[in-house]
Amino acid sequence: MSSPQQRLPRDQRRDQLVGVARSVFATRGYRTTSMDMIAEAAGVSKPVLYQHFDSKQDLYLALIDSSAALLDSRLAEALGSTIDPHEQVHATYRAYFDFVVSHREEFVIIFNSDVYEPKAEQKLRALRESSATRVVSALKNFARLSDDEAQLLCRALIGTAEVVVKQIDSQRGVDVDTAVELLTQMSWGGLRSFADR
């Protein structure tokens, strides 16, 4: 951890502050976290923190942006990794669960946040829409579905994944590998029936 006297290049300092803030927000939640707490955890003075971020909300929005970009890139990579629809389903679930496990703090920022700021909620909705658009496009490439039908199936797939993540968190009776295989099998069993429409 950097001491208050250690001077870092501006971009490095900003990245350090974002990393520390992500950990604090993910642990304590948005409402109970203060800029004082983040500055102390980062080993900087509060004025240094305010040199980079105008407010707690501004800092949290930056966290959402970086977390969303990471998740979106993982989903895009998964969907683009193969043209086989079954493998796309598997790869997408795998990417999602790997994100949850390997980037736990980012996952909390995006999906389990207690923030009720309009700008933050707008960004989170935009992320969900971006992810949904990718899945909808893959579904329409695979089967003859209207936009509304593809959107409905997309919501079902995303909703199922989010529910399963919470189930794994609370019970831990099924590991991630098994969850990915089960969801792939269940989803593919239903989705392939649309290919012949």
Side-chain angles (χ1 to χ4, degrees):
M1 186 176 293
S2 301
S3 68
Q5 292 77 29
Q6 184 177 353
R7 296 185 62 83
L8 294 174
R10 183 171 179 81
D11 287 347
Q12 269 187 263
R13 175 65 76 193
R14 182 182 171 89
D15 289 344
Q16 179 225 6
L17 294 173
V18 165
V20 171
R22 182 186 300 117
S23 180
V24 176
F25 278 124
T27 302
R28 301 184 59 91
Y30 179 81
R31 286 177 288 179
T32 58
T33 296
S34 68
M35 294 292 267
D36 286 314
M37 291 175 186
I38 295 168
E40 182 179 352
V44 301
S45 65
K46 198 157 76 165
V48 168
L49 186 56
Y50 278 108
Q51 286 174 8
H52 295 269
F53 303 98
D54 293 335
S55 64
K56 182 171 84 164
Q57 178 183 341
D58 183 43
L59 175 50
Y60 202 83
L61 294 177
L63 290 178
I64 292 174
D65 284 340
S66 63
S67 301
L70 179 60
L71 176 58
D72 192 58
S73 69
R74 295 297 173 88
L75 293 177
E77 183 179 341
L79 287 166
S81 64
T82 177
I83 59 172
D84 179 82
H86 177 262
E87 290 302 317
Q88 281 186 325
V89 172
H90 185 274
T92 302
Y93 277 130
R94 169 54 66 186
Y96 178 77
F97 281 96
D98 282 349
F99 177 82
V100 172
V101 172
S102 302
H103 299 279
R104 190 68 188 173
E105 292 173 350
E106 287 89 342
F107 171 76
V108 171
I109 295 296
I110 294 172
F111 293 103
N112 288 338
S113 175
D114 63 343
V115 64
Y116 299 105
E117 300 287 345
K119 287 185 179 178
E121 290 185 337
Q122 182 179 5
K123 280 184 177 288
L124 292 172
R125 277 195 304 272
L127 166 65
R128 286 185 168 93
E129 289 302 318
S130 174
S131 299
T133 297
R134 293 189 186 283
V135 175
V136 165
S137 178
L139 287 170
K140 291 186 71 176
N141 285 338
F142 166 64
R144 286 187 165 183
L145 296 167
S146 70
D147 287 340
D148 289 339
E149 289 171 334
Q151 285 281 356
L152 184 78
L153 290 176
C154 171
R155 299 298 176 193
L157 293 170
I158 291 173
T160 300
E162 291 183 9
V163 168
V164 169
V165 163
K166 292 177 182 176
Q167 185 80 4
I168 291 173
D169 273 353
S170 63
Q171 295 187 359
R172 300 186 181 277
V174 176
D175 63 24
V176 169
D177 289 338
T178 303
V180 169
E181 295 304 324
L182 287 172
L183 285 179
T184 299
Q185 184 177 349
M186 182 188 72
S187 300
W188 179 244
L191 289 173
R192 66 183 174 187
S193 66
F194 293 100
D196 298 325
R197 288 179 55 173

